[in-house]
Amino acid sequence: MEWDNDPTFQMAQRQFDEVSEVMNLDKNVAIRLREPDRAILISVPVRMEDGRVEVFDAYRVQHNDTRGPYKGGIRYAHDVTLGEVAALSMWMTWKCALMNLPLGGGKGGIRIEPTKYTRLELQRLTRRYTSELVAFIGPQMDIPAPDMGTNPQIMAWIMDTYSQLKGYAVPGVVTGKPTTIGGSLGRVEATGRGVAYTVLEAAKHLNYTIGADTKVAIQGFGNVGSHAALKFSKVGAKITHISDHTGGLVNLKGFNVQDVIEYMTKNNGTLKGYTEGDVISQTEVLTAKADILIPAATSSQIDDKIAAKLQCRIIGEGANGPTTIEGDRVLKEREKEIFVVPDVLANAGGVTVSYFEWVQGLQNFFWSAKEVNRELSNVMIKAFNEVLEVKKQHNVYMRTAAQILGIDRVAKAMLARGLYP
Ligand code: NAD
C-alpha cells in the first residue's frame, strides 16, 4: 500500500509487530490489523479570497471498526502525509480499545498550513472536504473530531455541511463541537487534563509528591499543552519550560499560564515575543532539568539522541507518536530513571470526552462540567491502573503494556465476530 514507505506508519507497524509477538497474537488477526481497513484520498479545490483556486491533498483513513464506529481527529498541518494519517488511525484503534470505548480507530488530515489562510478560505476547505466524505462518515460509521490545527469551529462547519447534505441536523457526525450545537462541556480541556491525571497517577505509583518544587517542561503550547499546564499549575507544580513552533522559553520561577494563554490569543496563537521568560531552543525545552516532561506538539520529537539527554522523571506523552522507535529503545533502557506514560494512554482524555459527547448527543441529555471531569478522571485513572497491572503481569515496558491491553480487546472482538464472508 501507499503508506508502506512512510516512516511514521512504519513506526506504528513495527510497534504493532513487536507487541503482537510479545502477546502471541493470533496470526490471522495480526495480519489484518497491520493495515487500515480503508483510505480515502481527496484533492480539495478551494477558491481563495483573491479569486485563485488552490488544491489541497486530504485524507481520511479508517483503520478498524470491529468494536464500533471509526473515531479520530482531523489534522490540518503543512506536512501531513497519508502514512502519518494511517499510523494515527491505527493508534486510535488501540487507544479506544484501551479506554474500553465502543469505538474503532480512524484519522483525517489536510496538507495545509492553516495559519496562512483566512477564516473564509478555511471554511470553504472544510466544507468541500466534508462533502467529499459524506458517504463515508456519520454517527454510526465514522465520527471525526479536532486534532492539530483544527478546533470546535471547524467541527461546526463539518456538522453543518453534513447536515445540509442530509437534509436534517446531525450533531452526532462530529465531536468536539461548540456547546451551542451539542458539544460537551470539558471537551476542549479534556486531552490536556487527561495527560495531567495520568501523570499524577504515575507520580503516586512512584511515591513522588507533586508540589511547589515540581518543575514541568511542555513542548507545544496549543490545546493539549496549555490545558495540561493549567492543570499542573492548579495542583501546585511550576511550569518552567515551554515551547511552540516559533521557539522555547524558560522561567525557573514558573510561568503564569493564564497570562501566557492570553498573550498567545492576542499574538496569532504563538509564543513569539513573550517577554516573561528567557529564550531557549526547542531542544532545550525537551532536555530541560524538569521533573515532568510533556511533549504536546507533533510526532517523532524524541529520537535516540534526545532520549539519551532527557533529565525528567516522568514523561506524559500528550502528542501522538512523539517518541521514535530508536528513542523508545533508549527510554526502555532508562526505564528505572524515567517513567513513560505512553501516548495511547496519556492523551486518551480527548477521545474519552468525545465519547461522552456522542453519548450525551444520542440521549439528548447533557452533563455538567463537574460530571464530565469526574467521569474523565475516573476513566483515566482506571485505564492507568489496568495498564500498570498488565505491565506487572507480563513484566513489560508501559508502552508495550498499553498496546497489549488495547490490541487484546480488539483481537477478542474480531475473533468473536469472525471473518466476513
Ligand atoms: P495544537 O495545534 O493546538 O497545538 C500544537 C502546538 O505544537 C502549537 O503550539 C505549535 O506551535 C506547537 N509545535 C509544533 N511543532 C513544534 C515543534 N517542533 N516544537 C515545539 N512546538 C511545536 O494541537 P493540539 O490539539 O494541542 O495537539 C498536539 C498533539 O496532541 C498532536 O500530536 C495531537 O495529535 C495530539 N492530540 C491532540 C488531541 C486533542 O484533543 N486536541 C487529542 C489527542 C492527541
Side-chain angles (χ1 to χ4, degrees), residues 75 88 95 107 146-150 187 191 219-225 243-247 264 269 282 296-299 301 318-320 347-348 350-351:
R75 174 174 290 197
L88 290 161
K95 191 184 299 181
K107 200 83 182 188
D147 191 68
M148 265 174 77
T150 56
R187 172 62 185 88
T191 307
Q219 184 206 31
F221 217 73
N223 175 284
V224 178
S243 67
D244 73 356
H245 66 282
T246 65
M264 289 179 79
Q282 289 163 336
T298 182
S299 58
Q301 297 297 300
N320 284 307
N347 71 30
V351 72

Side-chain angles (χ1 to χ4, degrees), residues 61 114 140 222 243 256 319 326 355 369 383 385 390 392 410 412:
V61 181
Q140 311 300 334
S243 67
N256 176 335
E326 296 73 25
Y355 165 67
N385 287 298
V390 175
K392 287 180 193 155
V410 179
K412 284 192 174 123

Side-chain angles (χ1 to χ4, degrees), residues 25 55 72 80 86 106 130 180 190 197 206-208 213 225-226 235 254 286 301 332 337 339 362 366 373 376 420:
L25 183 66
V55 178
V80 163
T130 309
T180 45
Y197 290 143
L206 298 170
N207 287 323
Y208 171 77
D213 293 335
S226 65
V235 296
L286 285 174
Q301 297 297 300
K332 238 186 247 177
E337 302 158 68
F339 187 93
L362 291 174
F366 291 87
N373 289 332
L376 173 64
Y420 173 84

